Amino acid sequence: MNCEVCGASNARRRAKIEGTILNVCDRCVRSGEEVARVEIARRPKPMYTAPRGMDYSLKEDFGSIIRKNREKRNLTQEQLSAKIQEKHTIVKRIEDGWEPPLVVIKKIEKFFNISLMGISAGNDYKIKVEKGGMTLGDIAKIS
Ligand SMILES: [Zn+2]
């Protein structure tokens, strides 16, 4: 781990510097107040728990994309819902902008042979941002 003060690679200690607890090296620990090692051991590791179903992102106008494709095929909402074996109200709500479960999206994509997904703003994106170092290259890789 790198020292968050000077960047040295041997940051084995933690110190409170200007109100923030930082990972620091043996040298930089002196510029702050060292946090006891016992306390560090007890501190639970920060866990990132991914919210279920958030690892995909729909295009903003997915509702109107579906409506246009449905109308192109001269299907009513009832007919489309029958084709994808979902309730009529589901199609109606989706076209009104309600985000359905991924499985329903997949069925619609397959039926119309279209893509309703945009750049993922889901877990991958968030994890990269939390770690810092998000680059345009990273965005390109995700998409
Ligand atoms: Zn240092």
Side-chain angles (χ1 to χ4, degrees):
M1 191 179 283
N2 288 346
C3 172
E4 290 179 83
V5 177
C6 71
S9 60
N10 60 336
R12 289 180 298 248
R13 299 165 81 168
R14 303 192 95 189
K16 195 173 191 178
I17 298 169
E18 289 172 0
T20 311
I21 293 171
L22 300 169
N23 298 303
V24 291
C25 65
D26 292 344
R27 193 157 46 89
C28 294
V29 75
R30 277 178 257 141
S31 53
E33 186 191 334
E34 183 164 22
V35 179
R37 280 158 203 262
V38 181
E39 191 193 324
I40 297 164
R42 267 198 239 119
R43 189 188 304 264
K45 279 185 187 166
M47 291 266 287
Y48 180 79
T49 48
R52 281 189 163 274
M54 288 296 287
D55 53 350
Y56 71 97
S57 97
L58 283 169
K59 286 180 181 168
E60 243 172 69
D61 52 346
F62 67 94
S64 58
I65 295 172
I66 294 167
R67 177 175 280 126
K68 273 183 213 146
N69 277 277
R70 179 175 60 74
E71 287 170 350
K72 221 160 48 179
R73 298 202 183 196
N74 288 317
L75 292 170
T76 64
Q77 289 178 341
E78 285 87 346
Q79 285 165 333
L80 174 59
S81 51
K83 297 270 188 201
I84 60 167
Q85 297 177 326
E86 290 292 341
K87 284 179 197 153
H88 163 217
T89 50
I90 295 260
V91 172
K92 188 181 180 308
R93 285 169 73 194
I94 293 169
E95 289 189 1
D96 287 342
W98 172 73
E99 289 194 21
L102 185 56
V103 61
V104 178
I105 285 296
K106 287 291 166 199
K107 279 199 265 188
I108 295 170
E109 284 187 328
K110 209 175 151 192
F111 180 71
F112 288 125
N113 194 24
I114 56 171
S115 170
L116 295 167
M117 302 303 207
I119 292 172
S120 173
N123 298 335
D124 288 351
Y125 179 79
K126 276 187 201 144
I127 287 164
K128 279 182 188 293
V129 170
E130 277 166 12
K131 281 179 184 164
M134 184 82 179
T135 66
L136 283 175
D138 289 325
I139 296 170
K141 261 181 263 162
I142 296 165
S143 61

